[in-house]
Amino acid sequence: EPPYTPKDFSCQTQDMRTITCTWRAGGETYLYGRNLPRYTLSETLSQKNLCKASCSKQCSCSWDRGQQKIWNVTVTVENTLGKKTATDIFDVNHRMYPTAPFQVWGESTDTEITLHWNYQNHRIELFCQTEVVQPDGKVELHNSSDVASHHRRATVRGLQPHTEYKARVRCGAAKHFWRWSEWSQPLTIRTMEGTPLGNLDIWREITPVLGGRNVTLFWKQTPTFRPNGRIISYEVTWEKKEHGSKTERISIPSVYNSTRIFIDNHSYRISIMAKNKVNFSLPSVLIISRATDNSRKILFHSFLGTEEFKEGTVNGTDDGIFISWEPRSMYDSYIIDWCNFPGLQPCDLQWKRFGPNTSSAVISSDAFVPGVRYKFRIYGSVYNKASLLEKKTGYLKELPPQLEPTMKKVVLTYNSVMLSWDYYFANESELGFVRGYHVYVSPIQGNCNLKGSKKHILSDDSELCKYTIENPEEKSYTVEHLMSNTKYKVAVKAFTAGGETPIVNFMYIDTPYNSNLLYLVFLLVIIPTLVAAICHWKMKWVKECCCPVIPSPNKSKVLSFKEFKIGSEKVLKISDCTPDVLAMDNKAEAQKL
């Protein structure tokens, strides 16, 4: 194919002596070797050839400019199938493309850096730009036009003290700007140290001792605190609030973040400052109130962990432990403190501050693990003086209890069993709050189907009857509706919000016979049998007593009327009777009657 028109044809100079033109080949001609496209640059007006080139993609060609300022340059590309041209008309003073600055070095103060560099052509006035990369990767550009000396320089202000920056420089013509030079090699430079900005976040733990109080002081850098250098120590001062009292001070090496001091029962003002080699930070202040009898009592109970303050319970969430408290309008902030590792002595006390309009928070820590009980104290603070308001206890996640109830008493009847047990709360080492107990019952043979129970299926698919007691202080239960003379297995498990441990051991009981059933059998079977045996044995006597051949008048119901009695004897009137047969036994007796 014939050649294509060159693309992006333009010319420029880097030193005002040599002109270089660049362009891109317009397209593929599918011709190679001697038939490759040939490029010729010529001055259009004078028809003077300037240079020649042969290339396939990115092309350039250079020549000495002499004294000529205005140029009309044509590039001609041709092969055996044709030719094409492109033209660029320019003033060489408007096509300055400087070389990259070199030998870049710098100097700094606490908030400024000044970059210096060299440049090959000192006769050209340059407009330079400095790129500064912040520690977080943010890029800032700063412009400078300082051309007063052979060593170019640029000053960047408003930087952070004791911070490492990366900087580089590029330049363009100050007059008739054409394009920027390439960037110089980057320079890494650190600003000098400055006065620490802001103040520390400080806290305390007070322990009552004989004659006063031990105060353990803690401090940490807040997100807004800027050390502006390497902290070399922390300065702790304390003094009584009364005027004219002596100020005491100690200096703590920077590797520590706590210290302990002793104060008496007066009110004290304590301040802590961070120090680098330049200066101190602003002081952070705590006020320790005078120790009254009531405050000593509160401190004593708080130190021992007794119930001067009733502890509320808090719950864990996916993000941490949720804590809420009752807000009080008198305080300007709230503080929550806790121990990340409650089992350690002394524990690593942590704390967090909240604004006056906050009444709940989620406390999170990488140290929080399931099954560990954490204690939180909530303080209200006003004018740097803190007062204990509430205490909370909770878990990130509760686990099943590690202790088993101990069976204390078992009382059996033929259809019930009363179980009594003891459960000793381990408190600090408990894996969760015990919410109650489950009582499990099942006969050895067959499934359980007791009234008032719920079914519970074990891992081996066996079935138990389950009763729930939701009061952890209630440690007895009576299981009713059992069958007499039956063997049962029984278990009692404590449970938390994390559930309970698997049932491993059962207690076995045997219900006795039903004594009421024995009485009933005795009445319905034994006594009638005895009566029948006696009757059979004394048959004749029984017959004479119960069914005589000749009844006794005195035993006849017919002769029970009063008017038929003579004295104590009953009288039968013959006229009242209709006999079947009338017979005369003894004529003499009959005549007498």
Side-chain angles (χ1 to χ4, degrees):
E1 294 183 1
Y4 293 87
T5 302
K7 295 182 178 180
D8 303 328
F9 177 60
S10 68
C11 302
Q12 59 197 15
T13 181
Q14 288 190 309
D15 55 9
M16 300 302 290
R17 293 192 296 269
T18 302
I19 297 176
T20 300
C21 294
T22 59
W23 65 92
R24 290 187 301 114
E28 179 62 60
T29 62
Y30 303 103
L31 294 173
Y32 306 100
R34 293 183 301 170
N35 298 318
L36 274 175
R38 297 177 299 280
Y39 296 91
T40 303
L41 272 69
S42 59
E43 217 291 322
T44 305
L45 298 179
S46 64
Q47 297 295 315
K48 177 183 177 181
N49 288 338
L50 301 175
C51 63
K52 293 184 178 182
S54 179
C55 55
S56 58
K57 291 184 179 180
Q58 192 70 33
C59 309
S60 67
C61 193
S62 301
W63 71 94
D64 291 334
R65 79 173 184 96
Q67 299 299 318
Q68 187 172 338
K69 293 178 57 180
I70 305 300
W71 291 83
N72 186 341
V73 179
T74 298
V75 57
T76 303
V77 54
E78 60 182 328
N79 62 16
T80 55
L81 299 180
K83 66 179 180 179
K84 293 288 176 63
T85 62
T87 301
D88 186 20
I89 302 174
F90 60 93
D91 183 336
V92 71
N93 291 322
H94 296 183
R95 292 293 179 90
M96 182 64 192
Y97 173 54
T99 58
F102 65 96
Q103 294 180 346
V104 179
W105 61 280
E107 55 188 359
S108 67
T109 66
D110 57 341
T111 59
E112 297 179 357
I113 59 173
T114 300
L115 297 180
H116 302 265
W117 62 89
N118 283 329
Y119 187 70
Q120 289 180 345
N121 193 333
H122 303 294
R123 295 172 298 172
I124 302 172
E125 291 188 357
L126 298 176
F127 172 78
C128 295
Q129 188 177 68
T130 304
E131 178 191 78
V132 178
V133 181
Q134 305 278 350
D136 60 0
K138 182 181 178 181
V139 176
E140 293 182 355
L141 296 176
H142 301 266
N143 295 328
S144 172
S145 58
D146 188 356
V147 293
S149 66
H150 289 262
H151 290 283
R152 272 64 170 171
R153 69 181 182 184
T155 299
V156 180
R157 298 177 175 84
L159 303 179
Q160 296 297 329
H162 197 63
T163 303
E164 189 174 89
Y165 296 91
K166 288 184 179 180
R168 57 182 184 173
V169 182
R170 65 181 179 182
C171 298
K175 297 179 180 179
H176 313 297
F177 178 83
W178 166 244
R179 62 174 58 172
W180 291 112
S181 70
E182 297 297 323
W183 286 106
S184 68
Q185 291 296 317
L187 174 71
T188 299
I189 186 170
R190 180 182 290 273
T191 53
M192 304 293 287
E193 294 190 14
T195 299
L197 182 63
N199 47 18
L200 300 169
D201 185 3
I202 65 175
W203 189 233
R204 84 295 183 275
E205 187 172 38
I206 304 173
T207 305
V209 294
L210 184 64
R213 296 158 290 177
N214 281 336
V215 180
T216 304
L217 299 169
F218 304 86
W219 56 85
K220 61 184 177 182
Q221 296 182 7
T222 64
T224 58
F225 178 81
R226 294 185 180 275
N228 290 340
R230 187 177 67 85
I231 298 299
I232 57 178
S233 66
Y234 297 97
E235 303 298 311
V236 180
T237 62
W238 65 98
E239 60 184 354
K240 294 178 183 178
K241 291 191 67 178
E242 291 82 356
H243 292 293
S245 62
K246 179 183 176 183
T247 299
E248 298 184 71
R249 70 179 65 244
I250 54 174
S251 180
I252 308 298
S254 61
V255 294
Y256 299 103
N257 65 350
S258 66
T259 189
R260 177 181 292 180
I261 63 173
F262 172 80
I263 61 175
D264 57 28
N265 293 322
H266 289 84
S267 179
Y268 275 80
R269 181 183 185 274
I270 301 173
S271 68
I272 303 177
M273 297 181 292
K275 179 184 178 183
N276 61 17
K277 68 179 183 181
V278 176
N279 207 340
F280 292 96
S281 69
L282 295 174
S284 299
V285 178
L286 278 176
I287 303 298
I288 307 297
S289 301
R290 177 186 296 271
T292 62
D293 290 339
N294 185 53
S295 65
R296 280 193 290 266
K297 181 180 177 183
I298 292 175
L299 279 174
F300 181 76
H301 283 287
S302 177
F303 176 69
L304 294 181
T306 52
E307 292 297 321
E308 176 67 17
F309 277 85
K310 185 178 179 180
E311 288 189 0
T313 58
V314 291
N315 299 316
T317 67
D318 292 338
D319 301 320
I321 299 176
F322 178 77
I323 298 175
S324 62
W325 60 90
E326 181 183 348
R328 281 86 162 174
S329 59
M330 67 187 73
Y331 297 112
D332 54 33
S333 65
Y334 297 97
I335 303 100
I336 299 178
D337 71 4
W338 71 93
C339 291
N340 269 344
F341 303 97
L344 297 180
Q345 290 298 331
C347 81
D348 61 329
L349 190 70
Q350 306 293 315
W351 71 97
K352 195 171 183 179
R353 294 181 179 272
F354 301 92
N357 299 321
T358 305
S359 60
S360 64
V362 174
I363 304 298
S364 60
S365 171
D366 292 338
F368 286 168
V369 294
V372 175
R373 181 176 294 189
Y374 299 98
K375 291 190 172 184
F376 301 89
R377 294 178 294 191
I378 303 167
Y379 294 82
S381 177
V382 57
Y383 301 123
N384 300 317
K385 184 187 298 184
S387 302
L388 181 61
L389 303 180
E390 300 178 31
K391 297 171 76 174
K392 305 283 187 178
T393 303
Y395 296 81
L396 178 67
K397 181 182 180 182
E398 295 186 40
L399 298 179
Q402 58 185 349
L403 299 178
E404 298 284 347
T406 303
M407 198 60 65
K408 183 173 66 174
K409 186 178 180 182
V410 179
V411 179
L412 281 168
T413 69
Y414 71 93
N415 68 342
S416 68
V417 58
M418 187 191 77
L419 304 172
S420 299
W421 59 87
D422 281 329
Y423 189 84
Y424 301 100
F425 295 95
N427 293 331
E428 304 299 329
S429 60
E430 194 64 73
L431 303 182
F433 296 116
V434 174
R435 312 297 175 116
Y437 307 94
H438 288 143
V439 177
Y440 296 96
V441 180
S442 179
I444 299 299
Q445 300 294 331
N447 293 328
C448 183
N449 191 20
L450 296 177
K451 183 180 179 182
S453 67
K454 295 182 179 179
K455 287 185 178 182
H456 181 77
I457 307 299
L458 296 178
S459 58
D460 60 358
D461 293 331
S462 59
E463 187 177 296
L464 302 177
C465 284
K466 176 181 175 182
Y467 300 88
T468 301
I469 303 168
E470 295 183 346
N471 181 4
E473 301 299 328
E474 186 178 334
K475 300 175 185 177
S476 66
Y477 189 78
T478 300
V479 181
E480 298 179 334
H481 310 294
L482 301 180
M483 294 183 293
S484 62
N485 193 28
T486 304
K487 191 167 188 175
Y488 288 89
K489 56 183 179 182
V490 179
V492 179
K493 304 289 291 185
F495 67 88
T496 67
E500 64 188 26
T501 55
I503 303 172
V504 177
N505 298 317
F506 285 95
M507 181 181 68
Y508 295 90
I509 61 173
D510 291 288
T511 55
Y513 286 99
N514 187 347
S515 59
N516 293 332
L517 184 60
L518 293 177
Y519 295 149
L520 186 60
V521 169
F522 180 77
L523 291 174
L524 297 180
V525 177
I526 303 301
I527 293 180
T529 302
L530 287 174
V531 171
I534 293 172
C535 289
H536 181 72
W537 179 41
K538 296 287 187 177
M539 180 66 72
K540 187 177 180 181
W541 177 80
V542 172
K543 188 177 181 181
E544 288 293 331
C545 289
C546 298
C547 303
V549 178
I550 302 175
S552 172
N554 291 324
K555 297 180 179 180
S556 174
K557 290 185 178 180
V558 181
L559 307 177
S560 61
F561 302 104
K562 293 182 179 180
E563 59 268 23
F564 297 144
K565 286 187 178 181
I566 300 176
S568 62
E569 298 242 347
K570 293 180 180 178
V571 178
L572 175 63
K573 290 183 179 181
I574 299 301
S575 60
D576 293 334
C577 296
T578 307
D580 293 331
V581 178
L582 186 61
M584 190 67 67
D585 259 356
N586 191 321
K587 292 181 180 181
E589 186 69 23
Q591 288 177 358
K592 183 182 178 181
L593 291 172

